[in-house]
Amino acid sequence: MSTKIFVNLPVKDLAKSKDFFTRTGFSFDPQFTDDRAACLVISDDIYAMLLTEPFFKTFTGKEIADARKSTEAIVALGVESRERVDELADKAFAAGAQPSRETDDQSPMYGRTFQDPDGHLWEIFSMDPSAMQEQG
């Protein structure tokens, strides 16, 4: 079995978060989804567990950061092309995402960022391998 990553994110409104990510083009694994959590499938090896805040609190003794006021992490997803970056970012904005920063068009990387309904920061990026080799 390959190593998998499960990023756990607290959410205020699970239904709203599920709707947002469904409209962004992602799916959920029903085996790990209920009224307290939803398993967002990003790839065969990458998942985000969207956990209601009360459920999230059962995993930590620390306060939950308010992602609208402070940054606890940036979830960065590398995709295969600039077109895929634009596709995912455009879907996120159409689903209600808020802007995070300007488009990063620094060769060999291209990236766009957004905030989900809970204020978590997401960065979608692609890198041009041939341009990276030229810089090396």
Side-chain angles (χ1 to χ4, degrees):
M1 180 174 128
S2 64
T3 299
K4 299 186 183 302
I5 186 168
F6 290 81
V7 176
N8 294 282
L9 298 172
V11 299
K12 294 188 182 316
D13 184 331
L14 186 58
K16 182 177 181 178
S17 292
K18 286 175 62 180
D19 178 63
F20 171 80
F21 284 106
T22 298
R23 292 175 53 200
T24 304
F26 293 100
S27 63
F28 291 89
D29 183 338
Q31 183 178 357
F32 301 106
T33 300
D34 59 24
D35 61 338
R36 300 181 307 165
C39 181
L40 174 68
V41 178
I42 297 169
S43 77
D44 289 343
D45 295 316
I46 304 169
Y47 306 86
M49 292 300 300
L50 308 178
L51 308 174
T52 62
E53 287 186 345
F55 188 47
F56 188 92
K57 286 180 183 180
T58 67
F59 295 96
T60 181
K62 295 182 178 183
E63 299 246 351
I64 295 175
D66 182 346
R68 293 183 180 127
K69 295 180 182 177
S70 62
T71 302
E72 80 282 35
I74 299 172
V75 180
L77 304 177
V79 297
E80 65 275 3
S81 67
R82 292 171 65 104
E83 294 78 19
R84 182 70 172 140
V85 169
D86 288 336
E87 176 188 349
L88 287 172
D90 290 345
K91 284 181 178 181
F93 287 115
Q98 296 300 308
S100 177
R101 20 177 274 235
E102 296 295 318
T103 298
D104 182 3
D105 197 0
Q106 302 295 317
S107 188
M109 191 165 109
Y110 176 73
R112 293 176 64 190
T113 61
F114 62 86
Q115 297 178 56
D116 70 18
D118 287 281
H120 301 293
L121 300 177
W122 293 78
E123 178 179 21
I124 312 298
F125 70 94
S126 69
M127 290 188 278
D128 179 356
S130 61
M132 290 178 61
Q133 289 174 349
E134 291 171 11
Q135 287 186 346

